[in-house]
Amino acid sequence: MDSSLWRPIIQWTVWAIVMALVLGWVRRSRAAANKLGDSRAPGRMVLPNTMLILGIVGVVLFTGCIVGASVSARRDDAATAALPIFLALAMLSLWVLLECLMDRHEVSDRGLTYRRTVRSNGHAAWSEVQRVEYSDFMKWWVVRLRDGETIRISALHTGQAEFARQVLQHADEAVTDPHTAELLADACDGRLPQLGF
């Protein structure tokens, strides 16, 4: 068999194995972070450190690829074509990094305090919560307030058990979807929503 046929097979197999290992690492760190919680701030919800590491590695890696492709662009049309792809991946990695540094929430008996990357921050008492649901497609909790504000909390965030306990204790009438109610009850017991991997 021609060796040129084996090269893409091996390349994509290695890529699939590396991605499976990275995603497994993210899943394990998420589960460990949610199990341990944060004893200093039990209601604090932040992205796990693995996402911060992936954001930093992505920014450095793809910025290096941009520099390399820019240097090669004068001689190679393929490098010129790759520049927008590397730029998009660097921007995506930068977004992950910003989410890790800025996006954090805190739940307590008083309500939900939220801090987002782009939109306004604030606090909502549990009485202001109109609806709580879980988006299986986007893998986040959606908290809709009576004033029309929508807060989205990623399924990757730590502190989901405390979030679920507070929602079921103070805003259970806002949970009208049986699937969401089941996921919240599971999260109280430490069984987090599946991330699809």
Side-chain angles (χ1 to χ4, degrees):
M1 188 176 239
D2 188 14
S3 64
S4 65
L5 293 175
W6 284 104
R7 184 173 181 208
I9 293 171
I10 292 171
Q11 175 184 356
W12 289 109
T13 303
V14 169
W15 180 85
I17 290 169
V18 168
M19 288 306 296
L21 291 172
V22 168
L23 294 175
W25 176 48
V26 170
R27 185 178 60 226
R28 283 189 306 277
S29 72
R30 169 186 171 243
N34 273 292
K35 193 179 295 180
L36 294 173
D38 188 345
S39 58
R40 296 166 302 195
R44 196 173 108 186
M45 301 179 75
V46 296
L47 289 168
N49 289 335
T50 50
M51 295 304 294
L52 180 65
I53 293 167
L54 289 174
I56 292 169
V57 168
V59 167
V60 170
L61 175 71
F62 294 119
T63 301
C65 290
I66 289 169
V67 170
S70 296
V71 170
S72 301
R74 293 187 194 121
R75 301 183 308 268
D76 188 5
D77 290 339
T80 305
L83 269 170
I85 295 169
F86 291 142
L87 183 61
L89 291 170
M91 296 303 287
L92 181 63
S93 298
L94 182 61
W95 181 260
V96 169
L97 187 58
L98 288 173
E99 285 278 320
C100 290
L101 296 174
M102 299 177 71
D103 191 54
R104 51 193 73 238
H105 313 288
E106 191 165 334
V107 291
S108 66
D109 290 333
R110 295 186 328 260
L112 172 66
T113 302
Y114 51 95
R115 188 173 125 197
R116 299 180 285 201
T117 307
V118 177
R119 298 181 61 203
S120 63
N121 306 322
H123 176 82
W126 292 117
S127 60
E128 297 175 45
V129 174
Q130 181 179 7
R131 185 170 173 82
V132 177
E133 54 196 359
Y134 183 76
S135 171
D136 281 314
F137 180 71
M138 295 303 292
K139 307 298 183 200
W140 59 34
W141 299 98
V142 180
V143 179
R144 299 186 195 285
L145 304 179
R146 296 191 194 288
D147 66 1
E149 186 79 35
T150 300
I151 305 157
R152 292 175 181 85
I153 302 170
S154 170
L156 286 171
H157 277 83
T158 62
Q160 290 186 56
E162 183 63 20
F163 169 76
R165 274 192 286 280
Q166 294 290 347
V167 167
L168 291 175
Q169 182 178 356
H170 299 290
D172 63 333
E173 71 283 348
V175 182
T176 57
D177 175 28
H179 177 64
T180 300
E182 181 182 338
L183 288 173
L184 286 167
D186 286 348
C188 284
D189 295 333
R191 293 185 307 273
L192 304 175
Q194 290 295 316
L195 294 177
F197 46 83

